[in-house]
Amino acid sequence: MKILVDTSVWVAHFKQRNAALVDLLLQGRVVCHPYVILEVACATPPDRTEVIDLLRELEPAPTASTEEMLHLLAAHQLYGKGCGLMELGLLASTLMRPATQLWTLDKRLQALATEFHLAYSPKMSPTASRGH
């Protein structure tokens, strides 16, 4: 199972190390969406250039076309539910890539991911709980 990590998780990780995210990275299970890279690039993460380069090295998540996102929006009546371009793009990307879940700290996006049975909730591994 691969995990598409939303910007909200990365931002929280930059503030305080997230052992579950580190474990996923070490296992090679994290995929990254171009929108997430762009959102992080618009902010001020620590070691900004290095962080952006590292995100770009992660396995890329698929990017839905405008037509694919419009179809998803209409087919599931996602309009008016707080689903903006970023949320729609990540949701579409997760749906396009089999065996992928979406990890977010955003409540609206989490609700949508849950509705689509795509939500990821980290479980603390023995390694993570020891702080490694």
Coordinates of all heavy atoms in Angstrom, one line a residue, residues 1 5 63 106 115-116 129:
M1 N 0.8 -1.2 0.0 CA 0.0 0.0 0.0 C 0.9 1.2 0.0 O 1.8 1.4 0.8 CB -0.9 0.0 1.2 CG -1.8 1.2 1.4 SD -3.2 1.2 0.3 CE -4.1 -0.2 0.6
V5 N 0.8 11.6 0.7 CA 0.8 12.5 1.9 C 0.5 13.9 1.5 O 1.2 14.5 0.7 CB 2.2 12.4 2.5 CG1 2.3 13.3 3.8 CG2 2.6 11.0 2.9
T63 N -1.3 12.7 -12.0 CA -2.0 13.9 -12.0 C -3.2 13.8 -12.9 O -3.1 13.5 -14.1 CB -1.1 15.1 -12.5 OG1 0.1 15.1 -11.6 CG2 -1.8 16.4 -12.4
D106 N -6.3 17.7 7.1 CA -7.3 18.6 6.8 C -8.7 17.9 7.0 O -8.9 16.8 6.4 CB -7.2 19.0 5.3 CG -8.3 20.0 4.9 OD1 -9.4 19.5 4.5 OD2 -8.1 21.2 4.9
E115 N -15.0 9.0 2.9 CA -16.2 8.7 2.1 C -15.9 7.8 0.9 O -16.6 6.9 0.6 CB -16.8 10.0 1.6 CG -18.1 9.9 0.9 CD -18.7 11.2 0.4 OE1 -18.6 12.2 1.2 OE2 -19.2 11.3 -0.7
F116 N -14.7 8.0 0.4 CA -14.2 7.2 -0.8 C -13.4 5.9 -0.3 O -12.9 5.2 -1.2 CB -13.4 8.0 -1.7 CG -14.2 8.9 -2.6 CD1 -14.6 10.2 -2.2 CD2 -14.5 8.5 -3.9 CE1 -15.3 11.0 -3.0 CE2 -15.3 9.3 -4.7 CZ -15.7 10.6 -4.3
S129 N 7.4 4.1 17.7 CA 7.1 4.4 19.1 C 8.4 4.5 20.0 O 8.4 5.1 21.0 CB 6.2 3.3 19.7 OG 6.9 2.0 19.7

